[in-house]
């Protein structure tokens, strides 16, 4: 390398070269400095957009715990509904059972009323009483001939026997095998008997179910029956009393419409 002036000149060249290079470095640094803020701004906008889209949550957040919770809640509601349905079903079964018991009780009461009212067949011990007209005629008595009415069975005679049997505790009764009920009326037309629209001729048979001894005692205590028995001895009327060990009384099968009587209020 030259010394002296030449050395000074070389140093001057170096300084100029150094000064010439500095502006180029300054321009590159200025372009990078201006780009950095733009890149940072773009990154911020991208982050903000991502945050807004995800609504403050991670875009790929695991939703399995939420689904598990929903399934659990639905199962609990279903279990509650099933328990409620089972409880309601049990209440329905209970009410149905109570209604069935009430229906059976009502049926038993109805059957008991049907029996006492005469609408069901009844079998048991009892008594049969038969009343008959006298076979004799007025001429058979000579000068003391009775009236013809004294020689036949009258409505009052049949009614006296029926009332005595009821008083003796009869549970059921028939006249000429026709069931007698509370609305039955015994009527006589001449020497015939009219009952439930049917006409019967003597002998008149009356059957009652009950304790035979009590029924017989009631017949002995009846004044109407006693007078008929006296007529039997005086005029030859027929009276027969028979104890029944096991007799059947048929159910009433006629009409229950009231034609002349009225129901009590």
């Amino acid at each position: 390398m030259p010394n002296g002036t030449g050395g000074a000149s070389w140093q001057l060249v170096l300084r100029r070269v150094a000064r010439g290079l500095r502006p180029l470095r300054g321009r590159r640094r200025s372009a990078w400095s201006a780009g950095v803020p733009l890149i940072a701004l773009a990154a911020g906008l991208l982050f903000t957009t991502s945050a807004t889209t995800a609504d403050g949550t991670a875009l790929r957040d695991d939703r399995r715990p939420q689904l598990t919770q929903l399934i659990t809640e639905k199962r609990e509601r279903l279990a509650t509904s099933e328990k409620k349905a089972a409880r309601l079903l049990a209440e329905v079964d209970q009410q149905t059972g109570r209604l069935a018991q009430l229906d059976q009780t009502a049926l038993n009461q109805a059957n008991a009323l049907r029996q006492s009212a005469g609408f069901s067949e009844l079998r048991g011990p009892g008594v049969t009483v038969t009343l008959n007209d006298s076979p004799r005629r007025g001429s058979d008595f000579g000068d003391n001939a009775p009236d013809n009415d004294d020689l036949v069975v009258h409505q009052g005679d049949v009614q006296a026997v029926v009332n005595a049997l009821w008083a003796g505790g009869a549970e059921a009764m028939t006249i000429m095998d026709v069931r007698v009920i509370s609305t039955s009326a015994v009527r006589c037309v001449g020497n015939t008997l009219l009952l439930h629209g049917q006409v019967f001729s003597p002998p008149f048979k009356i059957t009652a179910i009950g304790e035979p001894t009590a029924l017989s005692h009631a017949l002995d205590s009846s004044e109407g029956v006693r007078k008929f028995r006296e007529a039997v001895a005086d005029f030859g009327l027929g009276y027969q009393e028979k104890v029944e060990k096991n007799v059947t009384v048929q159910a009433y099968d006629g009409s229950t419409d009231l034609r002349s009587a009225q129901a009590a209020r």
Side-chain angles (χ1 to χ4, degrees):
M1 181 179 288
N3 296 325
T5 303
S9 298
W10 180 251
Q11 293 179 357
L12 178 59
V13 172
L14 290 176
R15 292 192 187 98
R16 288 178 179 177
V17 172
R19 284 197 300 267
L21 292 176
R22 289 173 184 169
L24 181 57
R25 292 181 179 176
R27 285 196 301 269
R28 291 181 178 176
R29 188 178 299 167
S30 298
W32 174 254
S33 299
V36 170
L38 292 176
I39 295 173
L41 178 60
L45 290 175
L46 181 60
F47 177 78
T48 303
T49 303
S50 300
T52 304
T53 303
D55 195 15
T57 61
L59 289 176
R60 300 184 180 276
D61 191 12
D62 190 355
R63 298 180 60 85
R64 285 179 293 179
Q66 297 180 9
L67 294 176
T68 302
Q69 180 65 24
L70 289 175
I71 293 173
T72 301
E73 292 176 356
K74 289 184 178 180
R75 287 179 177 174
E76 291 177 352
R77 288 195 295 266
L78 180 60
T80 302
S81 300
E82 290 178 348
K83 290 180 180 179
K84 184 177 181 180
R87 184 172 63 255
L88 292 176
L89 182 60
E91 292 178 358
V92 170
D93 291 341
Q94 186 178 12
Q95 294 297 331
T96 302
R98 291 178 180 176
L99 290 176
Q101 291 179 351
L102 291 176
D103 290 343
Q104 185 61 43
T105 301
L107 180 61
N108 293 339
Q109 293 176 348
N111 290 335
L113 292 175
R114 285 180 59 84
Q115 177 176 318
S116 61
F119 294 98
S120 61
E121 182 182 284
L122 193 63
R123 180 186 297 270
V127 170
T128 295
V129 177
T130 303
L131 307 178
N132 200 2
D133 293 344
S134 174
R136 303 170 64 179
R137 296 293 178 264
S139 58
D140 295 338
F141 293 93
D143 295 337
N144 297 323
D147 295 335
N148 289 332
D149 288 344
D150 294 332
L151 304 178
V152 298
V153 178
H154 293 283
Q155 172 183 322
D157 301 327
V158 176
Q159 195 66 58
V161 173
V162 170
N163 290 342
L165 293 174
W166 284 130
E171 301 176 21
M173 192 180 305
T174 61
I175 301 176
M176 304 300 289
D177 295 326
V178 176
R179 185 68 176 267
V180 177
I181 60 176
S182 59
T183 58
S184 299
V186 178
R187 296 287 185 269
C188 282
V189 180
N191 69 333
T192 60
L193 181 68
L194 180 63
L195 177 64
H196 295 312
Q198 302 181 61
V199 180
F200 302 97
S201 298
F204 304 126
K205 184 179 68 173
I206 305 158
T207 301
I209 290 181
E211 205 285 312
T213 302
L215 295 176
S216 297
H217 179 73
L219 290 170
D220 294 338
S221 302
S222 169
E223 183 178 356
V225 175
R226 180 180 57 80
K227 288 183 177 181
F228 187 83
R229 287 174 175 175
E230 292 176 356
V232 169
D234 294 337
F235 306 113
L237 293 168
Y239 178 87
Q240 183 180 5
E241 183 177 323
K242 178 184 178 182
V243 174
E244 303 282 1
K245 293 183 178 180
N246 190 19
V247 64
T248 299
V249 171
Q250 300 296 329
Y252 176 75
D253 58 357
S255 174
T256 57
D257 295 337
L258 296 178
R259 297 180 180 178
S260 300
Q262 292 183 353
R265 297 182 179 178

